[in-house]
Amino acid sequence: MKTRLWVFGLPKDRGRALKFLRDAGYEAVTVGRDEEAVDAIAREGLKAHIVLGTFSVGRRNLQGEEFLARRLDGVPVKWFGSGCPNNPQVRAVSLDLVREAASMEGVEAIILDGIRFASPGEGVESFMTCFCKECERKAYELGYDVSRMKRSLRELLKAVGGLTSSILRSITGWRSPIDLLDLLMRYPGVLEWLRFRADCVVEHVEDVRKVLKSVNPSCRLGAYLFSPSLSYLVGQDYRSLAELLDYVEPMIYRVCGGVACLNFEVARMAFDIYKRGSNLDQVDVQRFIFNLLGLDSEPKETIEELKEGLSSRVIESETRRALNIAGTSKTVPILYLDDPLLKESVEGALRAGARGLSFFKFSEGSEGALKAVSELVKERE
Ligand SMILES: [Zn+2]
């Protein structure tokens, strides 16, 4: 069976880029809400996907603090250019954008980006959101205990503050998820908070799907999701989301410099624990996090060095996890194109069983890498 190849973005010379993609065997291109680009992609015989920043507040009267997520201490925070995922106006604008994009001539799919809550990569204070009035009201309605959530999160922060090397070592090295139960049961409100965030994301994706299908029944719905080891931390429950999505695109980036990239997220988590604890060892902290997340990578001498990237093995193991949960037919992992170990990464994803691969991103000068990928994929078929 042929492996599907997709790409995010187009360089300036669109005509040339599209011809190149078609000749190299690429099937779909993701762009923003750009009618001309969508039209050009469709005319070249490729599938046009439109990406939408789901909870973005950079547009349409969503500029005030009242649209932002709230930290435990009530301070408003913007994360990934987004507002509170439960704010009614933020959600209404999101649905309007879906309606507009799905109505465009030639669009094959809408891909949701930022369909989540804040990630650990934003720093622990922004990560531990949202406690705005809307969220607290919704949590209450859904039967969650907001004061228990807050209490547990504060207790967890306090416990991290009291972490010593010997405690950290004693809670590292799980052989089975059952080993984690004791630790998790100490913070029941943290589990509630994570489940609450996941419920809210599922609810919005349900609404998006209804709107999308009402304006364009043949248009597909996809999403750029966090890699499986991180997804639950940001409110993305693969199992439920896979039922609502036609395309699941896990962002399995082992080396890059922003939120959602595995190395960036892990480094920020490690740094936040390291700086709060007392005299912790940087290697121990990394090992603890890899163990907690189930990430197949080796600690570096310092946390700073994680910026160079995680082992290329994580591509294979994370792809396997995504395929297991969301299914092979709809899962198309998106990999980082500017990866010095691109060949190893692609081979890992194929070994894990991926039947489609997407790449971030196609910019000026990416043709060589994109061509190498398509040749590699053909060789393996
Ligand atoms: Zn909120």
Side-chain angles (χ1 to χ4, degrees):
M1 208 170 103
K2 206 166 164 278
T3 307
R4 302 195 265 197
L5 288 176
W6 296 356
V7 72
F8 178 102
L10 279 176
K12 272 206 191 93
D13 190 347
R14 207 155 55 197
R16 211 179 83 180
L18 287 169
K19 192 175 173 317
F20 161 79
L21 288 174
R22 199 198 50 198
D23 293 345
Y26 283 78
E27 181 195 75
V29 185
T30 303
V31 290
R33 282 177 309 129
D34 176 345
E35 231 157 327
E36 278 181 29
V38 169
D39 188 50
I41 294 165
R43 269 190 286 115
E44 199 61 54
L46 299 168
K47 291 175 178 171
H49 292 180
I50 295 180
V51 63
L52 296 177
T54 314
F55 301 120
S56 167
V57 285
R59 61 204 170 198
R60 297 193 194 182
N61 308 322
L62 294 178
Q63 310 290 332
E65 274 190 355
E66 66 268 35
F67 304 110
L68 299 184
R70 298 274 164 169
R71 309 191 322 192
L72 272 171
D73 58 7
V75 172
V77 280
K78 197 190 278 184
W79 56 274
F80 191 62
S82 302
C84 166
N86 280 324
N87 182 283
Q89 279 115 303
V90 170
R91 283 206 184 186
V93 168
S94 165
L95 295 179
D96 283 346
L97 292 176
V98 168
R99 215 171 272 121
E100 276 174 30
S103 310
M104 280 187 198
E105 192 76 35
V107 60
E108 201 259 342
I110 301 298
I111 312 292
L112 302 174
D113 193 21
I115 176 69
R116 59 180 177 88
F117 282 77
S119 70
E122 304 274 354
V124 71
E125 290 87 1
S126 298
F127 170 50
M128 290 187 173
T129 48
C130 172
F131 294 96
C132 75
K133 289 209 167 53
E134 281 301 333
C135 283
E136 294 196 355
R137 188 189 55 77
K138 188 180 277 288
Y140 177 76
E141 258 176 37
L142 295 173
Y144 290 100
D145 185 335
V146 175
S147 8
R148 186 160 56 199
M149 289 183 198
K150 288 180 166 175
R151 196 167 55 242
S152 277
L153 286 168
R154 290 195 176 110
E155 281 167 3
L156 180 62
L157 282 175
K158 205 169 151 213
V160 174
L163 262 185
T164 60
S165 275
S166 64
I167 299 175
L168 189 64
R169 281 183 194 152
S170 74
I171 55 170
T172 300
W174 299 289
R175 290 179 177 274
S176 144
I178 206 100
D179 295 345
L180 256 174
L181 277 184
D182 176 60
L183 184 64
L184 296 178
M185 276 160 46
R186 289 166 198 252
Y187 306 100
V190 173
L191 302 183
E192 273 192 273
W193 167 69
L194 290 173
R195 187 62 245 171
F196 168 64
R197 303 210 311 175
D199 282 354
C200 299
V201 168
V202 165
E203 181 188 64
H204 189 59
V205 176
E206 281 169 348
D207 292 345
V208 165
R209 188 170 182 92
K210 274 183 217 143
V211 162
L212 176 96
K213 294 294 171 181
S214 73
V215 292
N216 184 349
S218 63
C219 187
R220 306 295 186 102
L221 180 62
Y224 292 124
L225 298 185
F226 265 44
S227 200
S229 61
L230 298 171
S231 59
Y232 213 89
L233 297 179
V234 299
Q236 292 175 335
D237 168 359
Y238 267 59
R239 221 172 294 278
S240 306
L241 292 175
E243 287 175 19
L244 295 165
L245 297 170
D246 303 300
Y247 301 140
V248 171
E249 296 190 57
M251 298 177 285
I252 311 184
Y253 304 151
R254 62 160 211 100
V255 54
C256 53
V259 289
C261 304
L262 280 160
N263 60 318
F264 183 90
E265 293 283 346
V266 166
R268 185 62 200 252
M269 285 170 83
F271 180 71
D272 275 339
I273 293 175
Y274 176 71
K275 89 171 174 214
R276 278 167 188 269
S278 49
N279 296 319
L280 298 177
D281 178 89
Q282 297 201 18
V283 172
D284 284 348
V285 176
Q286 294 173 69
R287 191 170 287 124
F288 168 77
I289 291 171
F290 289 146
N291 194 225
L292 177 73
L293 302 175
L295 268 175
D296 190 12
S297 197
E298 293 299 322
K300 302 276 170 78
E301 220 166 288
T302 64
I303 295 168
E304 179 72 16
E305 284 173 59
L306 282 175
K307 285 187 183 153
E308 292 157 22
L310 303 186
S311 154
S312 64
R313 296 199 312 266
V314 300
I315 307 285
E316 181 172 352
S317 54
E318 290 292 293
T319 301
R320 191 163 276 127
R321 287 168 80 171
L323 294 171
N324 277 343
I325 316 174
T328 306
S329 61
K330 59 173 67 176
T331 307
V332 181
I334 180 160
L335 307 183
Y336 205 66
L337 192 61
D338 193 16
D339 176 352
L341 299 178
L342 182 63
K343 183 171 182 281
E344 288 84 344
S345 294
V346 169
E347 282 172 338
L350 294 174
R351 261 199 314 276
R355 304 302 304 152
L357 290 175
S358 190
F359 293 91
F360 184 90
K361 65 176 199 173
F362 187 3
S363 40
E364 224 72 56
S366 303
E367 286 86 353
L370 288 167
K371 184 100 182 105
V373 166
S374 92
E375 282 166 5
L376 182 63
V377 166
K378 272 181 212 142
E379 267 173 40
R380 297 289 184 278
E381 277 168 1

